Amino acid sequence: MAGTEGLLALIDARGMATVPLPELSDTTPPGVPEAVREIIAEVRRDGDAALREMARRFDKASLTDLAVSPAACVGALEALAPAVRDALELAAGRIEEFHSTLREPTHVWSRDGVTVRSLQIPVDRAGLYVPGGRAAYPSTVLMTAIPAKVAGVASLALCVPPRPDGTVAPVTLAAAATAGVREVYAVGGAGAVAALAYGTGTVPRVDLIAGPGNAYVAVAKQEVAGVVGVPSAFAGPSEVVVVADASAPADLVAVDLVVQAEHGPDGMACLVTWDPAVAEAVGAEVSAITAAAPRRTEIEATLSSSGYAIVVEGPEQAAEVVNRIAPEHLQLMVAEPAELVPLVRHAGAIFCGHNAPASLGDYLAGPSHVLPTGRTARFGSALGVADFCRKMHVISAGEEALVRLGPAVETLATAEGLPAHAASVRRRLDRLEGADRGRTNP
């Protein structure tokens, strides 16, 4: 087998069966963009009323208040089991420590009398989206809010889908209190993105929106880009590719595939190996784990549509497959993972060896687990401090710089047919020449 032309098999609870290689050029389900545009239009037109209607329609929740009080978040934190609170605080500390190392000092460049300072300025206000519904994600609160706080964002607004009883999971509220987020709204889906982008009576608009979600949330962020800032990565349904050789325990490979599959439909779990025996052993383990899993429905929904085992010739071909898929999470469960890393160009995060599962990155490794999906790892990166900032350049120049560089500016402006640009420099040069003549001829 050459390149990515290998055996592609479906892994699910029923075993393995050959299927065609999937088309990876567009992972957005049909009809989603049109539905998202309708939702955004409803929110822009009807504001809070639209959000309440969407809560009834999509979350089966009847809401009186869209906002969750800061006191409720603090109360949830105080009521949390000590072990869970300790784990949240451990994760928060590690995430903050890691992201603090990403803050860029002021960059200064000087040449020929021109000095340029590049300032990293945080946005004034950021919106954070955290999924809900099938599970609570307090870890995502930390992974979005803490990089924003480290960046210096003064105002944060967190949107989380309500549960059917109209509340937000207490552990999610506790995470908000841990991260210092005081503004929480029980609003989910594409409607939450629209509310953050355009504002409603209850939800003030923001300057930037970050956080993962399903295809509707990810497409909604693309639709409002330009009105607000949106990180370039498409943070959609969860994905994992595990590259494994015979050194990898089959049960560990299998459970790590299931880890991402248990998030639910529209994600992807893919095994890549050059050993057919590994594919067979992992497939059997996936079947056994899935059959006994509490979230079996979600796992089967993912694996039945996007669960794959790809058998290739060797490590180089495995890397080709990885680069084509550009997965959110990549696990290199091979004897020498360091040898494969240089071959990987497209992945959100790489986990090396048998003791670094993607779940470590989901909670405690330090970097944000908000990663590019849908092949956007080709150009996008993990959410970080820089996503909440913009660069502002401060430029100064002295007389000598203008004398030295001004003629070239005038020449280029004239070549572009912009006489006022040329005159802007020429007038200054003439003034300086006149001043020089005045000094030499008193």
Side-chain angles (χ1 to χ4, degrees):
M1 306 169 211
T4 58
E5 298 299 323
L7 170 66
L8 184 66
L10 176 72
I11 304 175
D12 63 14
R14 297 164 296 178
M16 304 179 69
T18 301
V19 297
L21 191 66
E23 175 55 55
L24 297 171
S25 61
D26 186 0
T27 57
T28 303
V32 169
E34 294 79 9
V36 165
R37 291 181 194 117
E38 291 181 8
I39 289 170
I40 292 173
E42 287 181 40
V43 173
R44 295 188 69 182
R45 184 183 65 242
D46 300 328
D48 287 351
L51 297 179
R52 292 190 178 92
E53 169 57 30
M54 289 172 192
R56 286 191 290 270
R57 193 189 325 166
F58 301 124
D59 304 306
K60 314 304 180 189
S62 179
L63 299 179
T64 302
D65 295 321
L66 298 173
V68 180
S69 71
C73 297
V74 173
L77 180 61
E78 292 174 346
L80 209 57
V84 179
R85 181 168 183 168
D86 289 347
L88 276 179
E89 291 174 350
L90 174 63
R94 291 178 61 85
I95 296 164
E96 181 175 6
E97 184 177 350
F98 171 80
H99 283 88
S100 293
T101 67
L102 300 180
R103 286 185 297 195
E104 297 181 15
T106 299
H107 177 266
V108 180
W109 178 79
S110 294
R111 185 173 178 182
D112 296 326
V114 175
T115 298
V116 180
R117 290 187 297 139
S118 296
L119 308 181
Q120 186 170 259
I121 309 295
V123 299
D124 293 336
R125 179 168 164 78
L128 310 175
Y129 186 84
V130 171
R134 290 185 172 86
Y137 293 100
S139 58
T140 305
V141 176
L142 304 182
M143 295 290 185
T144 53
I146 292 175
K149 299 278 278 191
V150 170
V153 179
S155 177
L156 299 176
L158 171 65
C159 284
V160 187
R163 299 184 295 183
D165 65 0
T167 65
V168 173
V171 70
T172 302
L173 298 181
T178 300
V181 179
R182 296 181 53 81
E183 195 177 329
V184 181
Y185 301 98
V187 180
V193 175
L196 291 169
Y198 295 101
T200 70
T202 298
V203 184
R205 65 183 301 172
V206 300
D207 302 308
L208 180 144
I209 302 173
N214 61 19
Y216 290 87
V217 170
V219 170
K221 286 192 292 181
Q222 291 179 328
E223 288 290 325
V224 301
V227 177
V228 293
V230 176
S232 61
F234 183 97
S238 191
E239 306 165 348
V240 67
V241 170
V242 180
V243 178
D245 63 13
S247 72
D251 63 320
L252 297 185
V253 176
V255 75
D256 290 344
L257 291 167
V258 169
V259 161
Q260 301 307 321
E262 76 174 352
H263 283 293
D266 302 324
M268 183 193 68
C270 178
L271 168 67
V272 181
T273 183
W274 46 90
D275 188 335
V278 169
E280 293 177 7
V282 171
E285 290 286 349
V286 167
S287 298
I289 293 170
T290 302
R295 293 175 66 83
R296 177 174 179 172
T297 300
E298 287 83 0
I299 295 167
E300 289 183 340
T302 299
L303 296 180
S304 63
S305 62
S306 300
Y308 305 101
I310 303 176
V311 179
V312 294
E313 283 187 332
E316 293 78 10
Q317 289 74 29
E320 289 182 30
V321 171
V322 167
N323 288 325
R324 175 177 173 182
I325 295 173
E328 176 188 21
H329 305 92
L330 171 63
Q331 291 187 210
L332 301 180
M333 297 184 67
V334 296
E336 300 293 340
E339 295 180 2
L340 265 179
V341 170
L343 302 180
V344 176
R345 301 187 307 279
H346 307 147
I350 304 176
F351 300 84
C352 296
H354 304 333
N355 296 316
S359 55
L360 183 66
D362 286 343
Y363 298 102
L364 290 169
S368 178
H369 71 201
V370 180
L371 298 167
T373 68
R375 302 194 72 227
T376 59
R378 293 173 296 121
F379 54 81
S381 307
L383 186 71
V385 171
D387 290 298
F388 294 96
C389 297
R390 73 271 193 205
K391 291 289 180 64
M392 186 165 66
H393 302 303
V394 181
I395 301 165
S396 57
E399 292 181 358
E400 292 183 5
L402 194 62
V403 170
R404 182 184 304 236
L405 302 175
V409 173
E410 185 178 8
T411 298
L412 290 172
T414 301
E416 290 186 349
L418 299 172
H421 285 65
S424 172
V425 171
R426 172 44 51 195
R427 291 190 179 209
R428 286 172 168 81
L429 293 175
D430 290 344
R431 282 173 178 263
L432 292 174
E433 290 174 2
D436 286 342
R437 286 194 296 272
R439 283 192 289 267
T440 58
N441 298 293

